[in-house]
Structure formats: structure tokens, C-alpha cells
Amino acid sequence: RFHNTAATGQLGRARTSLLPGARAGSGQRCKMPGTRELRDTYVEKCKDFVCDPCKPLIGAINHALSHDAELSFIKLNGNSKELFTKRLEYMQVFALAESLHVNNTVVEVDLSYNNIDDAGVQTIARLLKVNRTLKALNLAGNNIGPEGAAKLADCLADPGGGGGGLAVLNLRGNPIGEAGGMALAEMLRTNKTLLDLDLGDCELGMKSLVSVAAALKEGNGTLQAISLENPRLTTVQEEHVGHVARMLAVNSGLRVLKLGKCAVRDFGVETLAAYGVCANETLEVLDLRCNKISEVGGASVARILTDNAALRSINLSGNALADRGAQAVAAALPAAAGTLVELDLTCNSINDAGLCALAAGIRAMEAKPAVVKVWGNFFGPSAARAWATLLDECWAAGAPIRTDIQCHGVDGDIHVVRASEE
């Protein structure tokens, strides 16, 4: 796919993989004049609306045409180097949306971090009603409120998902609030094309969380990934967790569930395990980062590992499992029901005993995880040596574990340092 490669940020690989017909490649060979028409139409629309054409977009179009290829990805994220000091203006968004009404080549658009408000998203909503090819839309980090979310929900409420059936929608970091969340929840009851919805950091409340869970329990079996991270909750009763658990018990489509910063405590993770995750047969990724799960909740995490055969990745970073919780998880690892690929236990106040138990538990697994993260815990001499031995054994066996730590021997002692990110 051709796009302005100098811009930073992208939709996640998991999200891109959910796109119907997604494929690798630098571009599609020209069969239709869609990209050339897009350039001409866009320039004309900019003249009509008295705004400057966006240079990164014109550059991406020209680059595609110079290689006799079609433009399939428009990348205009406002936190890119080109747009950081000159985010898209309302009229520029309007011109782009109007230009895409009849386009037949663009399948993914990234307009994140551009201060798009409710007025700006209305023109995008109109686009979604008529465009036949757009499958992924990234609007993260804008200023879309309840009214704008309702407009998007309205155009996606059709079982066909609007014009061409949007599959991926990222609204992370927009203040859509309780009313916007309720509108999107109602949309989920009828929409049959959306596969990935990100509502993290959207100021959702208890009512909208419960409504989303109810929609996925009662009317939607097609959504595969959802993020509900960091809602605005004041309760300590964890009512929302019960609704999510009941949804998981009957939903057969969801594969990725992100509940980071959702005030899940020990009772909540027990409820989630007993009544939801352990009864679910499709969930592959469970993200419980930055909650309030202590050593008491370790047994519930262990049950999730031993009872759910579909689970491939679990993120428990930023909790407080401590040694007893880590030992419970470690004991469950060799008996894991499925093939665990990724385990994240960073920053869990785990000391030597817990870290040694984790190393022993991973060593006893027949198929070891490809990724294990444990930085942010307290490595003593015993834990450092145990992990150094484990990592060396896996490397020698031709199945190295990718981790966030490195073990170095200095004067006969093993020291653990944080591995640099690649």
C-alpha cells in the first residue's frame, strides 16, 4: 500500500489483520482510475472550500501514481512530523471526505490527533453512508463528543454497516462520554460488519459499559475485538465486571477484550474467571493491565490459564500480584489448557520467591510462551540466576523467549537490566 511513509503512528497489526481481505504489499496495480480521480476531485474540493490541499496527501497520491499503483491507505495522523504543527482544519477534512464519496481504492484512513470535533465528524459520517470500499477508520485522539459519536452510530446502525461495511473503528481518546457510549452500544445491536472497536479513554461510565456488554451478549456475535479501557467509574462494587462476565459466557465471536484501568479487583477477576472467561471458547487476548488485582486474585488468574483453551495472550501488568499471586500463576503454567503465546507480568511487586517460581513454571511448560515480560519487579540473586538459566536454555533449544529483561554476569554475580525495545 502506498502512503506517506514519513508520518508516524499506525493502526495496530491486530486491527489491520481483521480487515476483510487485508494483505501485504506495497501497492495495488492500477485497474481503475480511482486514485487519479481522487487527486483531481480533492484539489477541486479544496478550491471550492477555500482551503489548502494537504501536502502529505498530495505527495502520497503522486507517489502511488508514479508507480502505476492505487492508493489504498490515507495516513494523515496529526502527531506526524509533517502535520504536528499544522493539523487538519475543518474544511480540509470536509474536502477529503467529499472527495472519497465515490472513491473505489482507499480501504483505510487515519485521521487521528487532528482536533476533529462533532461538526467535523458529521461529514465523515456522511462519507460512511455512501463509500463502498472504506474498511478501517482511525479517529483516535480527536475532540469528538457525544453528538459526534451519535452521528457515527447512526450511520453504522444499518446491518450492512453503512456504505461498504466499516470493519475497524478507533475512537480512543475522544470525550464521547456516557451518551456517546450508549449510542454506540445501541448501534452494536444491529451492526453486522464491525470487527474491531476501540473505546478506550473515551470517558465512558457505568451505564455505557453495561450497555455495550448487553449488546454483545444479546444482539452482536460478529465483533471480534473491543477496548473499554479507562472508563470513568466511581463504584467499588464492580457491577460492570459481572455484566462483562455474563456476556463472555454466551458470546462466541469476541477474540480480543481489553479491560485495562477498569477498576477490576480480586472479586472482579474471580467473577470474570468463574462466570465468563472459563465458559468462553473463543477469547484469545485478555488485557487486565493497571487494575487492582492482588495476590488473592492470583488463584483466579490461574484458573483462567487452566480452564480456557483458546487464550493466547494475557496482560496483567501494573497490578499487585506479589509473590503469592505469581506462585499461583506459575503453578498453573505447565497445566495451561491452551497454547499461551504472551504473558505480561511487569510491575507486579513480585520478589525473588515469585520470580523463581515463574521461571520454574515456564521451564516446565511443554510449549513455552514466545513473549514474557517481567521487568518492574524485584530481582534478587536467586531470581536473576533462575531467569538467566531459563533464557539460556531456551536459546540453546532454538526457541528463545522474547522478554523485556537481559541477564549479565559481572564478577560471578548475575545482574538483571531492562532490555532495550527494538
Side-chain angles (χ1 to χ4, degrees):
R1 297 176 299 179
F2 282 92
H3 54 88
N4 42 322
T5 54
T8 59
Q10 61 180 6
L11 291 175
R13 286 176 296 175
R15 287 177 162 73
T16 303
S17 67
L18 292 173
L19 287 175
R23 61 189 180 193
S26 60
Q28 304 170 2
R29 302 300 295 177
C30 278
K31 295 181 179 179
M32 301 179 183
T35 300
R36 192 174 302 278
E37 288 182 347
L38 173 61
R39 181 183 62 184
D40 296 341
T41 304
Y42 176 63
V43 172
E44 287 299 319
K45 292 291 183 181
C46 287
K47 291 179 180 178
D48 293 342
F49 302 140
V50 195
C51 62
D52 295 327
C54 182
K55 291 182 179 179
L57 175 56
I58 296 297
I61 292 175
N62 290 336
H63 183 61
L65 292 175
S66 68
H67 288 77
D68 191 30
E70 297 287 0
L71 184 72
S72 62
F73 183 16
I74 291 179
K75 189 174 181 63
L76 298 175
N77 49 309
N79 58 349
S80 66
K81 181 176 66 175
E82 294 91 344
L83 296 176
F84 190 77
T85 59
K86 190 176 178 59
R87 314 286 170 119
L88 294 183
E89 300 173 356
Y90 169 70
M91 284 302 179
Q92 289 177 313
V93 174
F94 200 175
L96 174 60
E98 291 283 316
S99 303
L100 289 172
H101 273 213
V102 295
N103 178 265
N104 53 22
T105 65
V106 176
V107 297
E108 185 174 350
V109 175
D110 185 349
L111 298 176
S112 57
Y113 303 102
N114 275 295
N115 299 319
I116 298 172
D117 57 11
D118 290 342
V121 85
Q122 287 187 33
T123 187
I124 296 174
R126 289 195 294 271
L127 164 67
L128 294 178
K129 285 187 175 182
V130 299
N131 183 281
R132 307 300 302 178
T133 57
L134 187 61
K135 299 299 180 185
L137 178 61
N138 188 350
L139 294 173
N142 284 291
N143 195 31
I144 302 169
E147 182 181 345
K151 292 291 184 182
L152 288 173
D154 179 64
C155 74
L156 295 173
D158 183 274
L166 194 71
V168 178
L169 177 60
N170 187 347
L171 291 173
R172 174 174 290 272
N174 284 281
I176 68 173
E178 194 81 291
M182 296 285 285
L184 290 167
E186 191 63 28
M187 173 271 295
L188 287 174
R189 291 182 177 273
T190 55
N191 180 282
K192 302 302 180 186
T193 66
L194 206 60
L195 301 179
D196 188 333
L197 178 62
D198 193 335
L199 298 177
D201 295 307
C202 283
E203 301 182 9
L204 303 181
M206 179 63 72
K207 290 182 179 179
S208 51
L209 282 181
V210 171
S211 296
V212 169
L216 295 178
K217 174 177 178 285
E218 300 166 2
N220 188 302
T222 53
L223 193 73
Q224 296 181 17
I226 189 166
S227 172
L228 299 171
E229 294 182 311
N230 196 25
R232 299 294 183 262
L233 300 175
T234 57
T235 178
V236 295
Q237 299 299 318
E238 301 179 270
E239 301 97 319
H240 57 298
V241 180
H243 288 275
V244 172
R246 285 192 287 272
M247 176 272 292
L248 286 174
V250 299
N251 185 288
S252 60
L254 203 63
R255 290 178 171 81
V256 179
L257 176 61
K258 295 186 177 182
L259 296 174
K261 300 183 181 180
C262 277
V264 179
R265 296 173 173 80
D266 295 325
F267 177 74
V269 74
E270 181 182 2
T271 301
L272 197 65
Y275 300 104
V277 179
C278 293
N280 185 281
E281 297 180 351
T282 61
L283 190 68
E284 298 177 2
V285 178
L286 178 61
D287 191 333
L288 294 171
R289 68 183 182 90
C290 301
N291 279 291
K292 301 180 180 181
I293 304 170
S294 73
E295 58 186 15
V296 177
S300 299
V301 175
R303 182 177 178 183
I304 289 174
L305 294 173
T306 56
D307 289 10
N308 188 300
L311 196 67
R312 298 292 179 266
S313 173
I314 184 166
N315 186 347
L316 296 162
S317 62
N319 284 283
L321 287 174
D323 282 344
R324 287 177 53 193
Q327 288 165 345
V329 172
L333 289 175
T339 304
L340 192 65
V341 176
E342 183 168 358
L343 174 65
D344 192 337
L345 292 169
T346 56
C347 301
N348 263 277
S349 301
I350 305 172
N351 292 295
D352 242 25
L355 290 166
C356 287
L358 286 169
I362 294 172
R363 182 180 291 109
M365 296 176 71
E366 183 176 348
K368 295 173 177 55
V371 180
V372 179
K373 298 180 179 180
V374 289
W375 179 253
N377 296 295
F378 306 107
F379 284 84
S382 299
R385 191 165 297 279
W387 276 87
T389 302
L390 170 65
L391 296 177
D392 286 344
E393 289 176 353
C394 291
W395 180 270
I401 296 176
R402 192 163 76 251
T403 184
D404 57 349
I405 62 169
Q406 291 180 345
C407 301
H408 299 284
V410 180
D411 295 332
D413 295 325
I414 304 295
H415 295 267
V416 176
V417 298
R418 186 174 188 174
S420 58
E421 296 183 2
E422 295 181 359

